[in-house]
Amino acid sequence: MAVVLLLLIPLPFLLYIAAPQIRKMLSSGVCTSTVQLPGKVAVVTGANTGIGKETARELAQRGARVYLACRDVQKGELVAKEIQTKTGNQQVLVRKLDLADTKSIRAFAKGFLEEEKQLHILINNAGVMMCPYSKTADGFEMHMGVNHLGHFLLTHLLLEKLKESAPSRVVNVSSLAHHLGRIHFHDLQSEKFYSDGLAYCNSKLANILFTQELARRLKGSGVTTYSVHPGTVNSELTRYSSFMTWMWWLFSFFLKTPQQGAQTSLYCAITEGLEILSGKHFSDCQVARVSAQARNETVARRLWDVSCDLLGIPLD
Ligand SMILES: *[C@@H]1O[C@H](CO)[C@@H](O)[C@H](O)[C@H]1NC(C)=O
Ligand SMILES: *[C@@H]1O[C@H](CO)[C@@H](O)[C@H](O)[C@H]1NC(C)=O
């Protein structure tokens, strides 16, 4: 009994200390920019649900031509119709993209480069979370393969177009979960050890490392890059885990709606004058801290090289 009491005494203290952090986590930054996007072209991956869908809708609302890059084209078409009706913008297009298959990524990029002269905004939004151990068509562990390597290849294939269209931006949707992530170079595909939760965190750390490395590489090109934590959002991302679905439901009162979750991606995609913050990580429409791992340049460079190697991209 006494022990329990002893343990409870510091609790209010801890809550008091953590309060600003908790409030900050729950408050939702809103993108207040009034920038309009007529004549701009945007690609959003995983745009047929959740944050991706809301991000696409907001971009369409501002007049951009928006490509919904989706695995499920039929579902994508329904979403495109919905966005067209809501925004009055007919230039919402659906193209097939399966990030778990490099052939599909290459086909998407080829088609896009043939039909579009420009690309101003690329939102690497699609993601899988906590799925059972599985591999992509190319033999990559699913989280690493889709969340990191798939987007890495996509960004690489579209980079020239982004440069030609500068000023242009790439936004990577990462997560607070990156704090728990580590890059295990000896077991990048989690063949020796697999935890669905950690695999997700690792892939999200990879997203941040890449954003920074890409920012370094793109300095002076007019292409700027940002990684964002969308907030803890009620979305289909938890579809693979009944435990997470259950937890999500329990805490749904605190969770952001997908529309709120889209605000930081949108903020990074369109806010004027953000260029000097290229490579930074954002949460609630503000620059946010990343873990020590995520600031490690050596790891970032090595991951870049290893990723090129895995994807058959020549090193420069
Ligand atoms: C986004 O993340 C992907 C995968 O980690 C990476 O390939 C790409 O370079 C990143 N882009 C930016 C702008 O950070
Ligand atoms: C970066 O990570 C490597 C490998 O984990 C480590 O040896 C090195 O000390 C780290 N560097 C910094 C500056 O933290």
Side-chain angles (χ1 to χ4, degrees):
M1 188 64 196
V3 174
V4 172
L5 270 180
L6 252 160
L7 284 176
L8 281 181
I9 288 167
L11 198 66
F13 243 127
L14 286 179
L15 277 179
Y16 176 76
I17 291 168
Q21 210 55 38
I22 294 174
R23 250 199 315 277
K24 205 170 146 205
M25 271 161 60
L26 299 181
S27 77
S28 49
V30 171
C31 174
T32 53
S33 165
T34 55
V35 170
Q36 295 296 309
L37 304 167
K40 301 287 181 191
V41 181
V43 170
V44 183
T45 69
N48 60 8
T49 175
I51 303 175
K53 174 176 161 184
E54 289 305 319
T55 309
R57 189 183 57 75
E58 296 262 13
L59 294 170
Q61 185 77 52
R62 292 161 189 263
R65 176 156 59 243
V66 183
Y67 284 81
L68 313 183
C70 309
R71 195 172 41 171
D72 185 340
V73 174
Q74 265 176 336
K75 210 169 152 191
E77 292 291 356
L78 289 177
V79 170
K81 276 270 161 333
E82 185 188 325
I83 295 178
Q84 285 166 349
T85 311
K86 273 192 188 152
T87 63
N89 181 346
Q90 298 309 305
Q91 307 211 57
V92 182
L93 307 149
V94 181
R95 295 294 177 267
K96 166 97 181 164
L97 172 66
D98 182 357
L99 287 157
D101 182 353
T102 55
K103 278 206 202 71
S104 171
I105 300 170
R106 290 184 184 279
F108 169 86
K110 185 161 180 284
F112 179 85
L113 296 178
E114 278 165 9
E115 72 179 317
E116 275 298 335
K117 289 200 183 58
Q118 295 200 293
L119 174 58
H120 303 97
I121 299 173
L122 169 62
I123 310 236
N124 287 326
N125 165 84
V128 294
M129 181 184 192
M130 297 182 78
C131 50
Y133 191 87
S134 50
K135 287 193 162 176
T136 68
D138 305 271
F140 306 137
E141 186 277 315
M142 195 57 77
H143 293 88
M144 230 357 130
V146 169
N147 298 358
H148 166 59
L149 291 168
H151 282 121
F152 181 78
L153 180 60
L154 179 67
T155 307
H156 168 79
L157 294 172
L158 299 179
L159 206 52
E160 273 314 305
K161 190 67 90 186
L162 283 158
K163 284 182 185 166
E164 288 164 22
S165 317
S168 53
R169 295 186 184 186
V170 187
V171 176
N172 264 349
V173 180
S174 177
S175 168
L176 196 63
H178 82 268
H179 279 277
L180 298 174
R182 292 287 176 274
I183 304 296
H184 303 291
F185 286 107
H186 61 280
D187 189 21
L188 218 48
Q189 310 306 339
S190 305
E191 278 161 338
K192 300 193 184 99
F193 171 79
Y194 183 71
S195 139
D196 53 7
L198 286 182
Y200 175 74
C201 299
N202 296 346
S203 70
K204 292 288 118 179
L205 172 61
N207 286 153
I208 296 185
L209 288 165
F210 257 97
T211 305
Q212 294 173 4
E213 185 61 22
L214 192 65
R216 274 194 282 276
R217 285 168 187 253
L218 288 176
K219 215 170 231 156
S221 72
V223 188
T224 54
T225 89
Y226 314 86
S227 65
V228 313
H229 168 58
T232 310
V233 174
N234 229 338
S235 76
E236 280 180 33
L237 197 59
T238 56
R239 61 186 165 251
Y240 289 110
S241 160
S242 49
F243 171 73
M244 285 301 280
T245 307
W246 186 85
M247 288 289 284
W248 245 237
W249 178 81
L250 194 67
F251 289 105
S252 57
F253 178 71
F254 298 114
L255 298 182
K256 291 184 181 185
T257 62
Q259 192 188 352
Q260 289 167 334
Q263 295 302 310
T264 306
S265 293
L266 188 68
Y267 177 86
C268 289
I270 68 173
T271 301
E272 285 160 322
L274 216 61
E275 285 77 9
I276 48 167
L277 295 175
S278 183
K280 292 269 186 263
H281 183 65
F282 287 75
S283 176
D284 282 335
C285 300
Q286 289 171 351
V287 173
R289 273 179 62 81
V290 296
S291 70
Q293 273 278 317
R295 291 192 299 268
N296 189 317
E297 243 184 85
T298 319
V299 176
R301 282 180 207 278
R302 183 162 171 208
L303 183 61
W304 183 282
D305 291 348
V306 170
S307 304
C308 285
D309 196 39
L310 286 169
L311 292 163
I313 299 172
L315 285 176
D316 51 13

